[in-house]
Amino acid sequence: MSRVCDCCGKGPMTGNKVSKAYNHTRRIWKPNIIKVKTEIDGTTRTVKLCTSCLRSGFVTKKVPVKKTEK
């Protein structure tokens, strides 16, 4: 799965992990990407979003309606 947000385009970042002795080793920071079902143009689609886009309300999650029997 590619780790890129469909809304904002946030992806992995690279940099250095710096130890207490100031040794540098390369590392990767991955964004918190989740798959969310949402309604876009009247159709239900699954999109990959970072949690910051989901919290800010760019899309709304589509929650299935449970039918109760009587």
Side-chain angles (χ1 to χ4, degrees):
M1 173 171 101
S2 85
R3 293 203 170 254
V4 177
C5 178
D6 289 335
C7 184
C8 67
K10 185 187 289 186
M13 293 180 62
T14 60
N16 288 315
K17 179 171 71 172
V18 181
S19 70
K20 194 172 183 179
Y22 207 64
N23 298 328
H24 288 66
T25 53
R26 299 297 285 178
R27 64 157 292 181
I28 294 176
W29 288 271
K30 294 179 182 174
N32 191 3
I33 302 286
I34 58 170
K35 290 183 179 178
V36 175
K37 285 189 178 182
T38 184
E39 191 167 335
I40 299 173
D41 298 329
T43 60
T44 301
R45 296 190 56 191
T46 301
V47 293
K48 290 178 284 186
L49 293 175
C50 62
T51 53
S52 59
C53 287
L54 187 62
R55 283 175 46 198
S56 60
F58 287 126
V59 297
T60 55
K61 288 175 74 171
K62 183 170 182 181
V63 180
V65 178
K66 293 183 179 179
K67 296 180 181 177
T68 58
E69 294 183 47
K70 289 187 177 181

